[in-house]
Amino acid sequence: MNIKFDEEQLRVLMSRAYSKNITAVQGPPGCGKTTVGSALAVKLIAEGIAKNVLLVAYTNAAANEFALELSNILQNTTEKFCVRTGNASAVDQSSLPIPFSLNATELRKKKIVITTSLSAKRLLPIMRFDNMVVDEAGIEKLEDLLWPMLLGVNESSKPLVYNYDTANRVDDLIGLLSECGITATVVGDPKQSRPITPNQYTCSAIEWLLKRAPHDILRITHRLPDTLAALVNSFASYDNLRSAPEVADRRLCLTRLPDLEYRDVIDAENVTTWVDINGPETCIGQSSYYNDIEAKACVKVCNQLKKCTNKSIVIISRFTGQRAIIRKYLQRMGHNEIKVTTTTSALGTQADIVLFSLVRNNPERIVGQAGTLQDLNVAISRSKEKLIIFGNFDMMLNGWTIAPKESRNGYKSQSRRLAELIDSKYGKVIDAPSLIYS
């Protein structure tokens, strides 16, 4: 393989290549989970350990990252071994470095198949797999994720009997999978996203496996520069997440100085900037919000960034309502190339510059689920050079997930910790320029 691994990536790669079980690998942001998973698939095929391998990711963006990594590893032989499948309408096939196909005959010819967890269920009548690598497993329950793995049994294996509707013990499912010799590497991060139910805590796949099964941990991030890695490490309590030496000193490079009014916002020397902006939230339905002033601010800053650099830009918000209004304003300014996504869909996404719109701003200081550790951690860990947060600083500093009047003691929002860390040590809080409000 023409790719360099750090010591932790190499350890995980070698141990998983020769293990026959279901194992978890916890990977904080930028630690090369997708790189290791892709390299593992290639190694399994190249050494004849597996006849074919299924690579599964929760989002299409993460599945496409598998395709990009395989292309880097296999170079001009990628098309011979690999294929991407799934929902054709949700995949931009023009940007894929490997073929996309829904044809059963074509899929059976390939050694490595890439798809999303939802589309994996549709492969049942088409083919079976010796080995699986599941990425971004912090957002699905284990029983939902592993049930399709019952499909991944060799043709010579005995028939499987498992009633998914009535099974109530994950242990039963794990036992059945182990009995059938299914090998799977489940990769994810419980501190980035997981299923959340209104009335009770629900373990994600990676959380369950980290508690009950053999597991390994990656701790070197190849995406985040030093101060951003330190912020993410402190906020999510990763216990020694650190930057790889080659990216530790990385900072945003500009081709020209920003206009005077935007210089504190963009500030290439400072990795993280919080723009304190007082725009009111607007509720849409029962669970979504948008913030018009924040949306316009994000777009104005994007417009300025496009004049100063050719770096990639992504805008993130937890709310689909905010995503829609930001897209509308970007289209008006002719910036259709800038990606706007939600925190859930941002899994597997990375960009040189990330703008994060917090949206929530109300007199009661209720941040709600927008202030969970998982959502905030996803948003602040996508950028490689510059993170700009838009939101009312006091709202986040003093916000509640659940207010005391609704619960005996209330629940303080995780946004408080993020605001404190950025203000005190890992970034800079500035007042929004007056032109953003115009």
Side-chain angles (χ1 to χ4, degrees):
M1 297 180 189
N2 297 320
I3 187 168
K4 184 179 179 180
F5 298 99
D6 63 47
E7 66 270 19
E8 293 192 339
Q9 292 173 331
L10 187 60
R11 181 192 69 242
V12 171
L13 177 62
M14 297 304 293
S15 65
R16 289 309 302 146
Y18 304 106
S19 298
K20 296 290 184 182
N21 56 11
I22 298 172
T23 296
V25 176
Q26 181 179 356
C31 284
K33 301 185 294 291
T34 306
T35 300
V36 172
S38 302
L40 175 60
V42 173
K43 186 175 181 65
L44 291 169
I45 296 300
E47 297 186 10
I49 301 171
K51 293 181 180 179
N52 51 19
V53 180
L54 177 64
L55 297 181
V56 182
Y58 180 75
T59 65
N60 280 295
N64 290 343
E65 287 297 318
F66 269 137
L68 292 171
E69 290 292 347
L70 287 167
S71 179
N72 291 334
I73 295 169
L74 293 171
Q75 300 293 318
N76 58 358
T77 62
T78 309
E79 292 191 14
K80 178 180 178 182
F81 294 101
C82 306
V83 66
R84 171 79 156 89
T85 190
N87 182 357
S89 64
V91 179
D92 180 8
Q93 299 178 34
S94 63
S95 62
L96 280 177
I98 66 174
F100 180 93
S101 179
L102 297 173
N103 183 278
T105 302
E106 288 298 317
L107 293 176
R108 292 191 189 100
K109 291 179 181 178
K110 304 298 183 178
K111 299 292 186 180
I112 300 173
V113 178
I114 306 166
T115 190
T116 61
S117 51
L118 180 62
S119 296
K121 300 174 178 67
R122 301 170 188 162
L123 291 174
L124 171 59
I126 297 175
M127 61 190 304
R128 302 187 182 192
F129 299 90
D130 300 305
N131 205 302
M132 297 187 186
V133 179
V134 185
D135 199 3
E136 303 299 353
I139 198 168
E140 293 189 277
K141 293 182 290 185
L142 190 65
E143 54 269 33
D144 293 337
L145 192 61
L146 293 187
W147 177 69
M149 289 185 183
L150 292 174
L151 320 179
V153 186
N154 294 331
E155 295 290 348
S156 59
S157 299
K158 63 182 180 180
L160 295 171
V161 179
Y162 179 74
N163 190 333
Y164 175 74
D165 293 328
T166 60
N168 55 16
R169 291 186 61 202
V170 178
D171 303 80
D172 294 339
L173 179 56
I174 291 288
L176 181 56
L177 291 168
S178 300
E179 181 183 342
C180 296
I182 292 180
T183 300
T185 303
V186 179
V187 184
D189 182 1
K191 297 178 179 180
Q192 289 191 67
S193 196
R194 61 173 171 78
I196 300 173
T197 56
N199 300 317
Q200 62 182 2
Y201 180 84
T202 304
C203 280
S204 68
I206 191 72
E207 286 175 307
W208 196 95
L209 285 169
L210 287 173
K211 294 176 182 177
R212 304 286 293 275
H215 63 274
D216 211 330
I217 302 175
L218 298 168
R219 290 191 176 90
I220 302 175
T221 174
H222 296 263
R223 179 194 304 155
L224 310 175
D226 50 8
T227 57
L228 190 50
L231 169 63
V232 172
N233 181 61
S234 296
F235 176 63
S237 301
Y238 277 119
D239 187 22
N240 199 29
L241 173 68
R242 58 196 185 277
S243 291
E246 67 270 17
V247 304
D249 296 328
R250 186 168 57 197
R251 298 294 184 270
L252 177 62
C253 293
L254 302 175
T255 56
R256 53 156 279 190
L257 278 176
D259 293 345
L260 183 61
E261 299 88 341
Y262 289 96
R263 288 182 187 174
D264 284 343
V265 176
I266 294 175
D267 189 8
E269 294 302 315
N270 192 24
V271 176
T272 303
T273 301
W274 187 310
V275 180
D276 185 11
I277 184 168
N278 190 27
E281 67 181 39
T282 300
C283 183
I284 308 174
Q286 295 182 339
S287 61
S288 191
Y289 299 83
Y290 74 88
N291 189 311
D292 189 67
I293 289 178
E294 280 188 28
K296 290 177 179 176
C298 286
V299 173
K300 288 179 180 179
V301 171
C302 280
N303 191 54
Q304 183 70 197
L305 283 166
K306 296 299 288 186
K307 297 177 182 178
C308 301
T309 181
N310 59 0
K311 299 289 186 175
S312 60
I313 303 172
V314 167
I315 304 176
I316 299 175
S317 176
R318 188 181 196 275
F319 303 103
T320 56
Q322 188 72 347
R323 179 183 63 187
I325 195 171
I326 291 175
R327 281 178 175 171
K328 180 180 71 173
Y329 290 145
L330 284 172
Q331 289 171 356
R332 288 181 182 177
M333 300 193 77
H335 294 311
N336 296 324
E337 78 285 359
I338 295 176
K339 181 178 179 180
V340 189
T341 185
T342 61
T343 47
T344 298
S345 298
L347 288 168
T349 296
Q350 58 181 306
D352 298 317
I353 306 168
V354 169
L355 282 64
F356 177 30
S357 177
L358 290 162
V359 178
R360 297 302 306 270
N361 187 15
N362 53 72
E364 298 77 22
R365 295 295 183 256
I366 303 300
V367 179
Q369 294 299 323
T372 62
L373 180 147
Q374 289 79 12
D375 279 296
L376 294 173
N377 193 27
V378 167
I380 68 174
S381 62
R382 302 298 101 192
S383 61
K384 297 190 288 184
E385 297 182 5
K386 179 69 178 180
L387 170 66
I388 305 175
I389 300 174
F390 295 84
N392 186 297
F393 184 78
D394 181 69
M395 168 80 182
M396 297 298 154
L397 184 63
N398 297 293
W400 299 88
T401 299
I402 300 176
K405 65 180 180 181
E406 299 174 22
S407 175
R408 182 174 181 180
N409 298 312
Y411 294 93
K412 294 180 180 179
S413 173
Q414 290 286 344
S415 65
R416 295 187 178 204
R417 177 166 173 76
L418 178 62
E420 290 169 350
L421 287 169
I422 292 176
D423 187 38
S424 64
K425 193 172 183 180
Y426 299 116
K428 184 178 181 181
V429 180
I430 65 167
D431 293 330
S434 57
L435 63 83
I436 279 181
Y437 291 96
S438 61

